[in-house]
Each structure stands twice: as C-alpha cells, then as structure tokens.
Amino acid sequence: MSGPILPAATLGVLGSGQLGRMFAIAARRMGYRVHTYSPDRETPTGQVADREIYADYQDLAALTAFARAVDAITFEFENVPSTAIECVARHVPVRPRGEVLHIIQNRGREKTFLASNGFPTAVFIPVTTREELAAAIPRIGLPAMLKTAGYGYDGKGQALINALQDVNAAWSKIGGVEAILERFVDFQHEVSVIAARGWDGAFMHYGLIENRHCNGILDLSIPGLSLPGRLEAQALEITRGILEALDVIGVLCVEFFVTAEQELLVNELAPRPHNSGHFSFDACITSQFEQQVRTVCGLPMGSTQILRPCAMVNLLGELWQHGKPNWARACADPEVKLHLYGKREAHPGRKMGHITAFGSDRESAARRALAARATLLAAEA
Ligand code: AMP
C-alpha cells in the first residue's frame, strides 16, 4: 500500500442503504467526503453523503466516472454485480477486494469455500433441479432447509422441508433456481462475531454477540456473550481464520449456530458491517462503521472496547401499521438511543431503524431496549 488515505479524501460506497448511511456518518465525522452509487434516489446513504449518484450497476460509463472521483471504494450492499466491482477496481482500490464479494454472493460458493478451508458448516449439497433436490434429501436427512444460492437475505429465498411430500412446494417457493439443501440445525443460540482486518494483517473483533431472530429477521442483539469452555475462543479463531483465508481488508461478520451438542457451525458471512453490530455506533470506542473507514483508508484500527452493557432492537415497518410510532415516548428513557434510516415508506419486514439501550448488565439492557420499542406503539397521551 502506498500510504494511508487521509481525511479530506473522498470515499465511494456502492449501495445506498442504512449500512452506507452509518458508514457515511462515521466518515464525515472524520473529515472524509462520501459519494454513494446506486440505482435509487433520496436514499438513506444519499441523505448524508456529499454526493448521491443515481445510476444502474450495469452502467460502466457511470461507474467509471464514479470511480475516478473517489480515492477508495467499499460496498454496503452484497448484490453489487461482479462486473461493477471489476470496472471500478481498474481505477481505485476496492476494499474488501471484489473476490470476497464474489465468493459470498452465492451460498454454494460460500459454503464450499468454508468447507474446503476446514471451517465447520451444516452439511449441505448444491442443487440445480427438482430431481437433484429429491436425490439430495436422503443424503442430508429431514428436516432440511432449501436456500437459494443467490440474492437471499433476512430469511428470504428459504423453504423448510419436513417431509418428502414438501419437496415440490419448497422447490416452487424458492422459484426453482440454483440452491443449496442444508441440514436443519437444532441450535441453542445464534451468535455473530464482527471483526476487522487491516492492510498489515492486524485483527480486531467486537466479541461474541447473541442474536435473536423473528420470522428469519434479526430482532434483538446483545453483545458481550460468554460461551462455556473453548467455544468462545474457537469462534474468535474461526473468525480470524476466515478473514485471513479471504485476505479481507475491512470489516466482516461471521454468523454462527451453537448447537445443542455445543458445536459451532458457520451459517453465513457478510463482508461489511452487520446489523448485529449496530450497538457499536453508540457503545464502543470505535464503531464497526468507523473501523470500516479506518481499514478501507489504511489507518490504524481503533479500540473495539464496549463501554457499557447494551442491547439493540430493530424497528421494522410493522411498527408503522397504525400510524407514526410514538418517538417521544421511546426517547423518554434517557438510556435509549434512537436511530432512523430516513426511509420514506414502511413495509412489513423492512428495516426502518433501531434502538440501542444501556443497562447495568446485558439482560437489563435487553429489557430496556424491548420496553422502549413497545412504547412506540403507545397512543399519544
Ligand atoms: P440465513 O439467511 O441463512 O441467515 O437464515 C436466516 C435464519 O433462518 C437464520 O438466522 C436461522 O434462524 C434460520 N436458519 C437458517 N439456516 C438454518 C438451518 N440450517 N437450520 C435451522 N435454522 C436455520
């Protein structure tokens, strides 16, 4: 690397959602300029960036102009086409490198990368036809999860198969596309580790985060989880190994299942800040977004220390069902921090914002976060 990219330089973000918004806030606070690129207008990232570029991911001329105007590029959206990354990488450094995105964009490639590098995953078989799916069932066993290889997030593109007669319905539900069939995991906990790796190989992490999901979507995250025996150290070692094997410069999240037999299985990778790390924005010396800025720019990383026990709950579109949520009520608790992403339309399941709450311990912080969210639905006094 020729030297760090210093404040006053311009950083480009491919994608324009809430992850880009929080990256842009962290970058601007440090004196960087931010340009965001996506096929949407008036976006969560665009509202706080210096420039919002509205163009298609296939538009190579617009991508080239975007790349020429910035000093480094990162992404906040996983489904940016490889051709777009290859195009911008001809002009400026892209961090993490495009190959990382390419691997994780397809569950088959992602799981094959993990398994072939000795990282533990649930047993899986790639399938491309209904016949291959039927043939895979006896090898995987039932129940099993059918997941589309591409474009799956928040539990979308998944079907649970409990019995042989579910096969046709499951295949239709995922749209009959390239997929993987995976053994159903009877997990005790879902946990994530968010970590960052610098250009010099330095590694930092935010510890173990306990995640609770609702309808396949993250609902509640509580950092500072301890796991018995060697499990905790193992989760951190696996995470470090994955960042090294992928040669990541940037932030990456590893989602794990902890099974009833106290075994760790890697479920998914996200080569960017992650929803389960949003607490770090308010609760850590260096948030996951600032760490992304620092690693992308080649600056030394900041401390990931959590200053106080905290918990985060997501605010989904359902909360708008009966009108505007009661923001003043949630803010009445002085230990609660409200984040809204500036999205104009609330749909069920859409991530509109989050709340981080503090407490004397993890559980009291979680209760406080849930209570603050519940007050959002209270009618005006
Ligand atoms: P994913 O999109 O793979 O992160 O899956 C979304 C959610 O579905 C996970 O957070 C789990 O709660 C559940 N899930 C995914 N894969 C499995 C599995 N193999 N066994 C049991 N539950 C799963």
Side-chain angles (χ1 to χ4, degrees):
M1 216 185 74
S2 53
I5 296 164
L6 296 170
T10 304
L11 307 179
V13 189
L14 288 163
S16 59
Q18 61 269 19
L19 300 175
R21 180 185 182 92
M22 289 182 268
F23 170 84
I25 291 170
R28 293 195 64 163
R29 203 167 59 176
M30 290 178 75
Y32 289 96
R33 292 174 178 278
V34 179
H35 293 183
T36 174
Y37 184 110
S38 82
D40 297 302
R41 285 186 214 268
E42 258 297 300
T43 58
T45 311
Q47 290 164 9
V48 297
D50 294 85
R51 267 194 80 193
E52 180 179 55
I53 292 122
Y54 161 70
D56 200 89
Y57 289 125
Q58 314 291 345
D59 184 341
L60 299 185
L63 284 163
T64 302
F66 166 68
R68 287 201 171 131
V70 300
D71 298 285
I73 287 179
T74 191
F75 42 82
E76 67 101 51
F77 172 63
E78 246 140 68
N79 292 319
V80 176
S82 299
T83 47
I85 303 278
E86 281 160 23
C87 173
V88 294
R90 278 187 221 116
H91 305 281
V92 275
V94 176
R95 294 179 186 140
R97 64 200 178 98
E99 288 82 350
V100 177
L101 193 61
H102 179 70
I103 290 170
I104 65 91
Q105 273 176 344
N106 178 292
R107 284 190 204 269
R109 275 200 297 272
E110 177 185 61
K111 291 259 148 95
T112 304
F113 156 80
L114 289 166
S116 60
N117 282 279
F119 300 113
T121 65
V123 182
F124 71 97
I125 296 179
V127 293
T128 53
T129 61
R130 192 192 307 254
E131 291 67 37
E132 284 180 13
L133 169 60
I137 298 247
R139 292 166 62 199
I140 294 292
L142 291 175
M145 294 288 276
L146 182 65
K147 300 180 175 181
T148 55
Y151 296 96
Y153 65 96
D154 288 344
K156 290 194 174 68
Q158 297 196 4
L160 176 64
I161 303 179
N162 278 309
L164 278 178
Q165 59 263 34
D166 299 342
V167 166
N168 284 346
W171 184 247
S172 304
K173 185 179 171 200
I174 68 150
V177 293
E178 183 192 347
I180 62 165
L181 184 70
E182 188 175 277
R183 184 168 295 166
F184 185 84
V185 180
D186 182 18
F187 56 80
Q188 247 178 12
H189 303 287
E190 290 191 78
V191 306
S192 55
V193 177
I194 295 168
R197 186 165 172 269
W199 61 272
D200 55 352
F203 172 81
M204 297 196 78
H205 62 80
Y206 290 83
L208 259 63
I209 306 162
E210 177 183 353
N211 297 319
R212 298 186 201 155
H213 289 76
C214 207
N215 302 322
I217 305 180
L218 183 67
D219 185 51
L220 171 69
S221 288
I222 322 174
L225 178 71
S226 295
L227 286 177
R230 291 247 325 124
L231 274 185
E232 200 169 322
Q234 269 168 9
L236 299 174
E237 273 162 33
I238 291 170
T239 303
R240 180 199 279 264
I242 290 172
L243 271 87
E244 282 175 3
L246 287 171
D247 194 16
V248 167
I249 299 177
V251 172
L252 183 139
C253 173
V254 184
E255 291 182 60
F256 292 94
F257 295 131
V258 183
T259 67
E261 295 76 35
Q262 300 296 293
E263 195 191 359
L264 284 168
L265 299 174
V266 177
N267 177 37
E268 227 180 12
L269 308 179
R272 49 162 174 78
H274 189 256
N275 193 171
S276 63
H278 288 359
F279 72 89
S280 65
F281 213 22
D282 297 308
C284 290
I285 292 181
T286 313
S287 75
Q288 59 171 351
F289 303 103
E290 181 176 335
Q291 209 73 295
Q292 185 186 18
V293 173
R294 287 175 179 240
T295 48
V296 165
C297 293
L299 290 174
M301 285 187 275
S303 163
T304 53
Q305 191 190 337
I306 300 172
L307 297 168
R308 278 189 59 196
C310 65
M312 181 230 59
V313 284
N314 271 332
L315 306 179
L316 301 185
E318 288 84 332
L319 285 166
W320 275 250
Q321 232 161 15
H322 304 292
K324 216 184 232 168
N326 194 334
W327 304 125
R329 282 281 186 92
C331 293
D333 182 339
E335 303 260 303
V336 158
K337 302 280 279 187
L338 174 66
H339 294 250
L340 290 169
Y341 307 145
K343 297 182 183 178
R344 301 230 176 278
E345 281 175 43
H347 310 296
R350 190 172 196 206
K351 291 175 180 168
M352 303 296 290
H354 69 267
I355 277 175
T356 302
F358 294 87
S360 52
D361 55 29
R362 302 174 65 245
E363 286 308 326
S364 71
R367 278 196 300 277
R368 225 160 170 162
L370 290 165
R373 184 171 64 184
T375 63
L376 291 176
L377 295 175
E380 291 290 350

